Amino acid sequence: MVEIATSILTMKKGEEANTILNLEAAKTDYFHIDVMDGKFVQKDTYQRMLENASYIKRVSNLPLDVHFMVEDIKTAIQDFADLEPNIMTFHLEACKDKEEVKKYIKMIQEKHCKVGISIKPDTQVEEVYEILPYIHQCLIMTVEPGKGGQTFLTQMVEKIKKLKEYIQEKELEVDIEVDGGINLKTAPVVKEAGANILVAGTAILMASNYKTIIEELKSK
Ligand code: DX5
Ligand code: ZN
């Protein structure tokens, strides 16, 4: 069974309370929080996401799935740890070497939080292999990180398959999350390839009925 993480990145201003309430009622499995710093990616959503996530924490029991698209991972871990997210995911590309990767994994673990590593479309999946035994989730970006509403990159399907095969072969327990351009057309493709957590922003937030779209994304 796949799980759905709703990205609240494109949630309309002024409609936060209603949107969150409705998403919870529609049984999203996670709230996906896209934290951008204006450096690792162009946009800066840092404060808004910190506020949105704090609000969600106050009104909902659903887990937070935090995706850092930032250069300063250390500060981000410290800032978001107070919200007790279920998982914090950072980008491999934001680390200078494997030692730094291991340092952040340890920092997140010390916050009693699950650890995810994300890779951008141009990063080879083999780059994460040696880290897999230490993390809970690998987030494959299926668009260039930076904004919602982009088109799914079909070349990423092979990457998901490769990762899935490797995880099975090594008998590891690592979730494969996919993020970017997930909709009713691409969901079955990524599931078939081996993804088990699907992030969707636009597809859910633009739908007329959150419950129906979430059920369809799961069952398609
Ligand atoms: C992109 C973000 C995504 C994205 C998802 O940088 O990480 O979470 O906004 O949005 P959609 O589903 O609209 O591609
Ligand atoms: Zn994301």
Side-chain angles (χ1 to χ4, degrees), residues 7 9 32-36 65-69 91 118 139 141 145 177-180 199:
S7 164
L9 184 65
H32 181 84
I33 312 293
D34 285 308
V35 184
M36 306 180 185
D65 167 33
V66 180
H67 176 194
F68 294 134
M69 285 160 274
H91 270 268
S118 182
L139 168 56
M141 289 305 299
E177 183 172 52
V178 288
D179 185 5
V199 177

Side-chain angles (χ1 to χ4, degrees), residues 65-76:
D65 167 33
V66 180
H67 176 194
F68 294 134
M69 285 160 274
V70 303
E71 282 179 359
D72 185 355
I73 298 166
K74 185 178 167 206
T75 307

